[in-house]
Amino acid sequence: MPTIADLNRLDAAGFVQALHGIYEHSPWIPQAAAAQRPFASLAALKLALQDAVSRASQEQQLALLRAHPELAGKAAIAGELTAESRGEQAASSLDRCSPEEYAALHALNAAYAGKFGFPFVLAVKGPTGRGLARREIIATFRRRLANQLPDELREGLRQVHRIAEIRLNVLLDVELAFGPAIMDWAEQLGAISDDAHGLTCAYMTPAHRETAHRLAAWMREAGMEVHIDAVGNVVGRVAGSDPQGKTLLTGSHYDTVRNGGKYDGRLGILLPLAIVKHLQARGERLPFSLEIVGFAEEEGVRFRSTFLGSSALAGRFDPAQLDQIDADGVTMRAALQAGGHDPQAIPAIARDPAQLLGYVEVHIEQGPVLLERGLPLGVVTAIAGSSRYLVELAGLAGHAGTTPMELRRDAAAAAAEIVLLVERRCADGSALVGTVGQLAVPDGSVNVVPGRCRLSLDIRAGSDAVRLAAVRDILDGIASICARRRIDVEVTSLVQAAAVPCAPRLMERLGAAVERAGLPRFDLPSGAGHDAMALAGLTEVAMLFTRCGNGGISHNPLETMTADDADIAARVLLDFLRSLCVREAA
Amino acid sequence: MPTIADLNRLDAAGFVQALHGIYEHSPWIPQAAAAQRPFASLAALKLALQDAVSRASQEQQLALLRAHPELAGKAAIAGELTAESRGEQAASSLDRCSPEEYAALHALNAAYAGKFGFPFVLAVKGPTGRGLARREIIATFRRRLANQLPDELREGLRQVHRIAEIRLNVLLDVELAFGPAIMDWAEQLGAISDDAHGLTCAYMTPAHRETAHRLAAWMREAGMEVHIDAVGNVVGRVAGSDPQGKTLLTGSHYDTVRNGGKYDGRLGILLPLAIVKHLQARGERLPFSLEIVGFAEEEGVRFRSTFLGSSALAGRFDPAQLDQIDADGVTMRAALQAGGHDPQAIPAIARDPAQLLGYVEVHIEQGPVLLERGLPLGVVTAIAGSSRYLVELAGLAGHAGTTPMELRRDAAAAAAEIVLLVERRCADGSALVGTVGQLAVPDGSVNVVPGRCRLSLDIRAGSDAVRLAAVRDILDGIASICARRRIDVEVTSLVQAAAVPCAPRLMERLGAAVERAGLPRFDLPSGAGHDAMALAGLTEVAMLFTRCGNGGISHNPLETMTADDADIAARVLLDFLRSLCVREAA
């Protein structure tokens, strides 16, 4: 088995030969990457190969896709696959399709080729590398057939790179130290749900309590001292070598939205757990104490109490929340008591900031930024602040046939201008996003000029100055659109939340660890809220994002990531912890 | 009492003196109009006075409004009103307000003055000239307080002109020959409803049958031969002097929408009825036979069978409609039988076109065009054709915080562009209207980039070529917006209806009659459908529109018109009939 060092030592022809078969029938890719040697790591090699494809013409990219065989297609039946493709299709038992599955795949192959002009490419070994079920493959095929050409071209190339990643693991005999365990645990937790279908783990439900106990058990197996605190957080602690040393907190939440994803939140608990297990196996101790906290409640599904677990730890628990009721009229207090918790004890779980080194959270990105850049990891600069508004527009309803255009006061036309204003103003390149997520003409009729229209605004940016300037421009724009159109407007502020910056000191350490792994450091703001927001009131925070597959979808069963990404994130976090340990401890 | 001829003969100062008090404290208005004498009619004088105000500066217009006293205000209490204002406020018993009513009016006066900077002006003698109830005045005040300044300025000036119209009637001792009877009848029919509140007269309900019998009785009183046909149309016939003469049809529908207006449809039955009554009283006979048809069903509220009555008369009854069911599961067949009708006999009510001179329909405009132009009447050029579509847009849902602007496929943003495209394309000045009446992001959330959006299109024009060109441009525009934004789009055609042109021969005669009344002829297309559409398949059609008050609102209890407008419309229709009678009969 060659190593990266071996590959670096070969001449160009030898390098291309060694990587023969990594990219199906496409030696031009290793040829283009050869000049960039030496590679510091496998991660760096993978990026160089990806870059070769990204820099290629669209014609070459299409040729790369067309070099791939159809799934269970003619070449497979005629035994004309490459050894790699044959192995992959067999690993997903595509050679054992039922007649119905063959028929479905053949129809899909034909429809897909007709729509896109290239074959459907899917890394059938899947996120774990162990192979997808035929049922999953066919569902993915159906879903991607609905894509638009430019998106599907990019997705096809990403699958090609994932296939190459898996083939490189085989070629280089890579043993992932962390990824497989993290993926397995996430799968096991994902099977514990309030619903028969999909994953729902709402605060203090039976599934939630079972998840907490499973986490606690795994933490104990990894040698941690574990307790479940009064609010339901699962806290595992491993003492540092220095008895006077402070404590570094890490973790994330284990509750989910309804029908959510397996990695949102849970990754940030399971990933450091894999590290602790690894340290335990090696007999290695960090000088500072490390606590992994599985926060009980972040999503706010059941009681609208977002960031409940992390807020309580940060000393910001609001006892009034105990009176919140769920959809069945159960109070949070009663739900806690039924779960064996003492609501009175919650304020006491607040931590003393003097004892803390900081808080570091690993989280799946829940967006497409890393995916589109082909990067497994990103360092979070800040958790974006947000401004939310409800905008209600009142014009004058009128008959669609009898009201001349110039006499209209059309509330929907004003809303349309506002939607485009938000889009235009927030597209200026600074890390700013603006969304009109709700838009409706209440009781609209085909033949009535809209007298009313209602829309929501959601403006976010990592920088408060950037966000507030955009909000000001947008609200001014709304006022002038409505004045010109003679529309009465009512704007109600729903949320005004300041951005939470990450600590530069911790960001630098994380970024340095990313670079030591042979990856470029890439910084991005988090548009979504995370437990780190609540903990920023207590101690310095930092976050590491991992790439989110399937176009960046989250809060959805399609949320996905790979064992390889989990693995490199764990290696980076461990390196970060060790870097703290050398330079920061005691 | 002076006559128009007397006013024409006076010198300018005498003219201004004679019209003293017609416009409150504003002799500049008759001064400006004096130069336009001689006036052919009272209608022409009224238009000249209106024109003087329209041509004045906004400052003068505001001064005119400010010359009016507040309702039940300080001047009224101090006895400082003009004789005219005192009479008007007393006719509406504003001098007998309860303490609560005084308090309400004073609060409204203050709020209104604060918002607009001029007093609330309302012709308190109302549409009939007999005075509004205090309850109605206060409700109108509340409603108009919500208006925007430019609209309310125009509405205030329209009320000033209505006040002047009523004062001119007093000054010139005008006896309206037709208007009061038409308004009374409409009021009486408006009180017969399926609902306890508002006016609903749906096909073959008890209110509908009672309305039919009331109409039949009034027609008989006017000397007509009357029958209610198999579909429920009330048909009154008065034979012409020439036994060989053909028949002119007139009429409109007597059913209403839910909570509809008193004049929509009914005006077109009651107005010719007043004419027939007038001819009967004078012993005058037209050479051709005249039939007034009260069509049983035009709105399609109960069975979605729009134009049922007129289609049956035109020989286009579809027997499959008898199986339509209403919300209670009652078939149209059963409803007809319960009403004493024989559904089998409906096809036989079809008329022989060879016996017909044409069909002329008077209808309230149901829009603001005549109102905005200050004209009581308009000649319809065509009933607009319409194209309706449902547009479904599918982009990609995403997290509002984590999806960068450039990676979005926002279905609502595409919809916004479409809304503005429709507005822009249809605002080109040709008689064309385009409406997006339904617009919604299904299950939209504040924090989710819209993955789907649904909207309706309704494009209408009097000319099919104009409509189809606009439809083509809009559908092309939608395709290019969606291609650029990578949005999947599905466009479903709901309605494609050709325009129905009015017969130039009949339009000319109507227009000439309008001009003989001293009014300018004003032609406009009808954006709404009418019974004339169905009858155009049988014979030549024409329509006369009357001004619609309250901003042109219809299908609503606020639909309104004045006795004066009903009167001039009746005089014009009578003149039209007589002009046919001289030049067209036998």
Side-chain angles (χ1 to χ4, degrees), chain A residues 257-436:
Chain A
V257 298
R258 284 191 207 297
N259 201 24
K262 293 190 282 269
Y263 308 102
D264 175 9
R266 283 107 185 268
L267 177 70
I269 310 168
L270 301 174
L271 190 142
L273 180 57
I275 291 173
V276 168
K277 203 164 177 170
H278 177 83
L279 293 173
Q280 180 200 34
R282 289 167 52 93
E284 179 179 343
R285 262 179 111 178
L286 299 168
F288 50 87
S289 299
L290 181 69
E291 286 190 28
I292 304 175
V293 188
F295 292 108
E297 222 288 339
E298 189 254 16
E299 301 287 5
V301 164
R302 184 168 175 192
F303 295 105
R304 298 202 196 172
S305 50
T306 43
F307 306 115
L308 179 69
S310 44
S311 296
L313 213 73
R316 301 216 179 145
F317 173 71
D318 174 6
Q321 287 192 309
L322 293 169
D323 299 318
Q324 292 268 42
I325 53 167
D326 69 7
D328 297 324
V330 178
T331 63
M332 185 190 288
R333 180 180 290 104
L336 276 161
Q337 286 164 340
H341 295 282
D342 174 10
Q344 304 277 34
I346 294 176
I349 72 169
R351 296 302 178 93
D352 172 10
Q355 301 303 315
L356 298 177
L357 275 177
Y359 171 76
V360 181
E361 181 172 357
V362 181
H363 207 285
I364 190 166
E365 184 202 327
Q366 305 187 276
V369 174
L370 296 172
L371 184 73
E372 289 287 338
R373 292 185 176 253
L375 294 174
L377 301 176
V379 176
V380 175
T381 55
I383 299 165
S386 65
S387 295
R388 289 187 186 176
Y389 297 90
L390 183 66
V391 179
E392 296 189 88
L393 303 167
L396 194 66
H399 190 297
T402 63
T403 315
M405 300 307 285
E406 70 275 12
L407 295 179
R408 296 183 175 199
R409 289 170 51 203
D410 182 334
E417 277 201 62
I418 293 168
V419 170
L420 296 177
L421 164 68
V422 170
E423 185 183 50
R424 198 167 53 242
R425 179 59 181 81
C426 295
D428 78 346
S430 48
L432 171 69
V433 285
T435 304
V436 174

Side-chain angles (χ1 to χ4, degrees), chain B residues 439-510:
Chain B
L439 175 66
V441 173
D443 305 320
S445 295
V446 177
N447 59 346
V448 177
V449 179
R452 291 186 302 136
C453 194
R454 188 179 300 152
L455 59 96
S456 64
L457 293 181
D458 180 317
I459 317 290
R460 307 194 199 192
S463 147
D464 287 339
V466 166
R467 172 174 52 88
L468 294 174
V471 165
R472 199 165 46 239
D473 288 351
I474 289 167
L475 295 184
D476 286 353
I478 290 173
S480 86
I481 289 164
C482 292
R484 175 164 40 76
R485 290 181 171 272
R486 295 180 294 124
I487 297 290
D488 292 314
V489 59
E490 208 169 306
V491 178
T492 310
S493 167
L494 303 175
V495 170
Q496 299 294 333
V500 171
C502 291
R505 183 178 65 91
L506 298 174
M507 282 176 62
E508 290 312 314
R509 293 247 186 285
L510 272 177

Side-chain angles (χ1 to χ4, degrees), chain B residues 48-131:
Chain B
L49 293 165
Q50 279 183 37
D51 280 353
V53 175
S54 301
R55 284 195 317 270
S57 67
Q58 182 164 318
E59 212 169 309
Q60 280 176 293
Q61 293 174 344
L62 289 169
L64 170 59
L65 291 173
R66 291 184 185 125
H68 288 73
E70 290 185 329
L71 292 187
K74 264 184 253 155
I77 293 163
E80 289 162 2
L81 297 184
T82 60
E84 290 83 357
S85 281
R86 186 165 53 247
E88 286 153 4
Q89 297 208 16
S92 292
S93 65
L94 281 169
D95 50 351
R96 278 165 286 155
C97 283
S98 69
E100 293 73 23
E101 288 166 337
Y102 267 122
L105 283 167
H106 290 177
L108 285 165
N109 278 327
Y112 189 97
K115 175 168 179 180
F116 297 115
F118 49 82
F120 175 71
V121 180
L122 175 66
V124 291
K125 286 196 161 179
T128 61
R130 288 195 214 115

